[in-house]
Amino acid sequence: GEQFNRSIRLFAAHRGFSLSDQGIRRATRGKNERGESVVVWEGPLEKDPSGKGWATEASIFAFLGLPYIPPESRPSDVTVSQLEELASSCRV
């Protein structure tokens, strides 16, 4: 659900990307005048290495270094730290 989506977008941000419905972009974050973290620069959309144009969620997960988790198996209360641990355990 919604919490998972927020967590995976924040996970992408920690890796230097902005994840949206349009795809994935390199992004630089900074602070605004209120001290809030904001995107200060976004690059062009990244190309999907699978060549499918981000047509599948699996390609987004793979790009971020995560195993694919089907929607029905996604924990509703996942944290960015848990996603980091999952990504670390998948690296070879």
Side-chain angles (χ1 to χ4, degrees):
E2 199 172 312
Q3 175 62 38
F4 185 88
N5 289 342
R6 276 196 294 265
S7 292
I8 199 163
R9 286 173 194 242
L10 190 53
F11 175 82
H14 286 192
R15 296 198 175 298
F17 294 98
S18 173
L19 174 60
S20 71
D21 294 340
Q22 289 80 41
I24 298 174
R25 301 174 188 267
R26 290 210 175 272
T28 302
R29 300 188 74 76
K31 302 274 184 193
N32 66 13
E33 61 279 352
R34 289 175 280 183
E36 302 164 325
S37 180
V38 295
V39 173
V40 293
W41 175 85
E42 281 188 331
L45 287 171
E46 292 288 316
K47 291 192 188 313
D48 177 1
S50 73
K52 297 179 183 172
W54 307 116
T56 67
E57 289 184 336
S59 61
I60 293 169
F61 278 71
F63 183 85
L64 294 173
L66 292 166
Y68 178 65
I69 305 168
E72 63 275 6
S73 299
R74 294 176 189 165
S76 60
D77 59 348
V78 72
T79 65
V80 175
S81 296
Q82 290 169 322
L83 291 174
E84 292 284 354
E85 288 176 22
L86 185 59
S88 293
S89 68
C90 293
R91 290 188 194 122
V92 287

